[in-house]
Amino acid sequence: MSLSARIEKDYVTAFKAKKTDEVAVLRMLKAAVKNKQVDLRRELTDSEILDVVAKQVKQRQESIDQFRAAGRIDLAEIEEREHLILRAYLPTPLSPHELEEAVVATIQTLAASGMKDMGKVMNAILGEHAGRVDGKELSALVRAKLSS
């Protein structure tokens, strides 16, 4: 089942079960996917939909951090519930050990020797493990491996 079909099926199920939080989040997600589709003027692939979901998850995480910093725990909890619903559509993230192995293997495969090759290494890993890697964490690890 495609990711688009899964989102639509889950939306209908949540609507019928009167799960208002889930319905609202999935409705926002469907709108974001539709906006991207209109921008590109074509149907989206699963990897493009996955990018939209990842962007929504990242926005929720940033909101959670900002609300917590401002002392608005009530709003942070709402964002956390939305974050959890959206995370269900992302593949399981790589563990720190798996990420390190992927970085080392990619550096060896590409024969990367310095910081000038950081972009190549990052793109290769992000392409291979789409949606499973946090960009900040990957950047820090690649930088550490290439500079040592």
Side-chain angles (χ1 to χ4, degrees):
M1 173 185 298
S2 75
L3 188 54
S4 178
R6 181 175 161 217
I7 291 169
E8 184 63 35
K9 179 180 162 277
D10 290 351
Y11 173 77
V12 170
T13 303
F15 188 81
K16 287 180 180 179
K18 295 181 175 34
K19 297 180 180 176
T20 55
D21 287 348
E22 202 168 323
V23 168
V25 171
L26 293 176
R27 187 175 288 145
M28 283 187 277
L29 178 59
K30 285 174 46 173
V33 168
K34 188 68 170 175
N35 287 338
K36 178 84 169 184
Q37 190 174 352
V38 168
D39 287 346
L40 297 177
R41 297 181 182 176
R42 63 178 169 78
E43 292 293 317
L44 299 180
T45 63
D46 273 357
S47 67
E48 290 170 329
I49 294 173
L50 193 63
D51 289 342
V52 172
V53 174
K55 189 175 184 180
Q56 293 289 316
V57 168
K58 185 177 179 183
Q59 286 175 348
R60 294 309 185 289
Q61 186 59 52
E62 289 170 356
S63 294
I64 291 167
D65 295 342
Q66 289 175 355
F67 286 140
R68 290 216 179 274
R72 294 298 309 264
I73 304 304
D74 55 328
L75 295 175
E77 288 172 354
I78 293 169
E79 293 290 326
E80 285 172 348
R81 285 195 299 271
E82 292 178 0
H83 185 263
L84 279 174
I85 292 167
L86 289 168
R87 293 267 324 157
Y89 296 98
L90 291 177
T92 56
L94 293 178
S95 70
H97 179 69
E98 291 171 323
L99 182 60
E100 187 170 351
E101 285 179 352
V103 168
V104 170
T106 304
I107 288 172
Q108 288 175 350
T109 303
L110 296 175
S113 59
M115 293 304 291
K116 66 184 183 338
D117 297 323
M118 185 170 174
K120 285 193 273 186
V121 174
M122 293 276 298
N123 288 334
I125 293 171
L126 289 172
E128 186 178 337
H129 301 287
R132 299 184 64 196
V133 179
D134 176 45
K136 288 180 184 176
E137 187 178 331
L138 176 62
S139 176
L141 187 57
V142 170
R143 186 178 314 271
K145 294 292 182 185
L146 287 176
S147 63
S148 61

